[in-house]
Amino acid sequence: AVVSTQSTGGHAEALINASFSHDGTQLASGSGDATVRFWDLTTESPLHVCKGHKQWVLVTAWHPSGQFLASGCKKGDVCVWDPKTGKQKGKVLSGHKKYVGTLAWQPLHCATENGTFLASGSKDSTIKVWEITRGQCTVTLSSHTQGITAIRWSGDNLIYSASQDRTIKVWRPKDGVLCRTLQGHAHWVNTMALSTDYAIRIGNWDPSLQGTGDPASTDALTVYKKFAGAGEEFMVSGSDDFTLFLWSPSKSNKPICRMTGHQQLINQVMFSPNGKRIASASFDKSVKVWEGKTGKYISTLRGHVKAVYQVSWSADNKLLVSGSSDSTVKVWCMKTFTLLQDLPGHADEVYTVDWSPCGSRVVSGGKDKVLKIWRS
């Protein structure tokens, strides 16, 4: 069962995003009040309030080492923060002409001595790659004709970008070469996810060593191979055309399959940590569950009475949490595909939910400016 432990005020405007660090020991949130906040998980109170943005903080992203957090705002600026001190690292990374709505760090197992790299996607239709120690833009990826809605930096060291121009593009980050374009969606591509997202997210932290007495921090490549599984990296994309596509993007520009059934646009898609299943959240008030390798439909989770904005899987793949415009957070059993628990308490739309990679906590936040931490 998931129990509520804490409601934490703090932000002066809507809470737009909240997420845990790679090992679940740190938590950060971004808000319409133009601040980023780091939270102390033992006392569940604000640790640092970070001011550097001039407008809404639309996206935050943890470096897979937990040593940095990046944030992007409505003005088009990107900031990098030190979670320990709450201080800004280096200068503001500016260059985008419109808002930055998506960020992705280079996976830890792909990192070299050349620096720490971050990619940002903007409404200005470009993706920029930054080296954060020097604060330089190393390459600008421009071939999309409309805004970028989502980016991923893959385990194969490629950058994938989804756009309102209905395409997904595959890039080589070191020289900015466009490798291929994936076409098929009939409307904006809103969201995408990789089957390796969890393995990339945890970096060099091995959750299977939790509580064994062994140090949980090991070699990032070892962790990646262990949790990404053998075989190819799959991608799923979701669109305003009500459909999802499953791809093997490093190999082919043709989709594996088209997944239909949603009655309205798709807000978010997410692979389970083991990559075996996909969950999709939609404006049609439902969450659908699909096979991760074939895209075959499995089940529909019904219970929300308004649009479902976000979903997040538990680390053991057994539960799914969803946040909705109906102000509720719901926990679903992934064995029976039934509602396990309603987590009430938000007074308005829930924009963001995240399950910590260590499995012990869920965070939710939204329009009521309240961050809620739930213990599982």
Side-chain angles (χ1 to χ4, degrees):
V2 177
V3 294
S4 169
T5 56
Q6 195 71 33
S7 290
T8 314
H11 281 295
E13 291 293 337
L15 213 129
I16 300 171
N17 50 73
S19 63
F20 293 97
S21 61
H22 72 304
D23 59 359
T25 61
Q26 305 179 91
L27 173 65
S29 59
S31 159
D33 66 9
T35 68
V36 169
R37 280 168 201 251
F38 291 100
W39 303 85
D40 183 330
L41 284 174
T42 41
T43 63
E44 294 178 350
S45 58
L47 197 59
H48 306 295
V49 179
C50 309
K51 296 177 178 174
H53 288 291
K54 304 276 186 289
Q55 292 195 23
W56 298 357
V57 178
L58 300 175
V59 59
T60 52
W62 283 97
H63 186 264
S65 65
Q67 291 172 4
F68 310 110
L69 180 96
S71 55
C73 76
K74 203 175 161 189
K75 183 171 174 267
D77 290 340
V78 176
C79 294
V80 178
W81 310 92
D82 178 345
K84 296 278 179 283
T85 63
K87 298 269 186 290
Q88 196 174 326
K89 189 174 165 44
K91 60 180 200 290
V92 174
L93 307 175
S94 56
H96 283 299
K97 303 203 171 25
K98 292 182 180 172
Y99 69 75
V100 171
T102 178
L103 295 165
W105 291 93
Q106 183 179 40
L108 215 47
H109 69 273
C110 300
T112 62
E113 301 301 299
N114 299 342
T116 307
F117 292 93
L118 170 71
S120 57
S122 166
K123 177 77 168 112
D124 68 11
S125 79
T126 69
I127 301 104
K128 287 184 181 292
V129 178
W130 310 87
E131 199 291 302
I132 63 153
T133 359
R134 296 188 296 276
Q136 283 174 339
C137 174
T138 55
V139 67
T140 299
L141 312 174
S142 46
S143 167
H144 282 294
T145 56
Q146 287 190 52
I148 311 298
T149 53
I151 53 174
R152 283 289 191 277
W153 200 315
S154 83
D156 300 333
N157 208 19
L158 294 167
I159 290 177
Y160 301 139
S161 57
S163 166
Q164 291 173 331
D165 68 11
R166 309 177 184 190
T167 71
I168 296 156
K169 291 184 186 284
V170 184
W171 311 83
R172 215 165 54 197
K174 65 171 189 290
D175 50 14
V177 167
L178 176 62
C179 307
R180 57 179 65 88
T181 299
L182 314 181
Q183 287 171 309
H185 281 298
H187 209 307
W188 294 2
V189 187
N190 291 330
T191 174
M192 68 173 153
L194 299 178
S195 56
T196 52
D197 277 341
Y198 182 80
I200 289 169
R201 177 181 187 178
I202 57 179
N204 62 352
W205 178 74
D206 185 342
S208 64
L209 299 178
Q210 273 187 102
T212 58
D214 289 326
S217 273
T218 50
D219 169 58
L221 187 59
T222 312
V223 173
Y224 179 75
K225 284 181 173 162
K226 185 170 173 180
F227 287 89
E232 60 200 289
E233 200 167 37
F234 291 95
M235 179 212 280
V236 63
S237 57
S239 164
D240 266 23
D241 67 8
F242 310 171
T243 72
L244 302 118
F245 276 101
L246 186 65
W247 314 83
S248 175
S250 61
K251 289 189 176 167
S252 168
N253 60 359
K254 297 278 179 283
I256 295 165
C257 85
R258 181 171 181 254
M259 298 140 74
T260 59
H262 277 299
Q263 305 296 307
Q264 287 198 49
L265 65 87
I266 319 293
N267 278 320
Q268 199 205 9
V269 286
M270 198 172 181
F271 275 93
S272 58
N274 62 12
K276 289 184 178 165
R277 285 183 175 164
I278 294 163
S280 55
S282 167
F283 259 90
D284 67 10
K285 311 172 196 168
S286 78
V287 175
K288 290 190 187 290
V289 186
W290 320 77
E291 289 281 352
K293 294 209 170 18
T294 63
K296 190 169 145 286
Y297 168 78
I298 301 174
S299 187
T300 300
L301 312 178
R302 295 191 194 281
H304 284 296
V305 294
K306 286 188 181 170
V308 187
Y309 289 142
Q310 276 203 343
V311 288
S312 188
W313 291 85
S314 64
D316 62 6
N317 309 285
K318 290 177 182 168
L319 302 171
L320 185 80
V321 64
S322 57
S324 161
S325 161
D326 68 11
S327 85
T328 69
V329 175
K330 296 185 191 298
V331 181
W332 309 87
C333 169
M334 287 290 111
K335 192 174 169 191
T336 58
F337 305 109
T338 52
L339 180 64
L340 197 63
Q341 229 181 327
D342 238 316
L343 306 179
H346 279 291
D348 212 326
E349 303 188 73
V350 179
Y351 294 144
T352 181
V353 289
D354 188 34
W355 208 305
S356 71
C358 60
S360 64
R361 288 185 178 94
V362 170
V363 64
S364 60
K367 207 169 174 179
D368 64 3
K369 309 169 194 171
V370 173
L371 178 108
K372 279 188 173 292
I373 300 168
W374 316 81
R375 289 218 180 113
S376 48

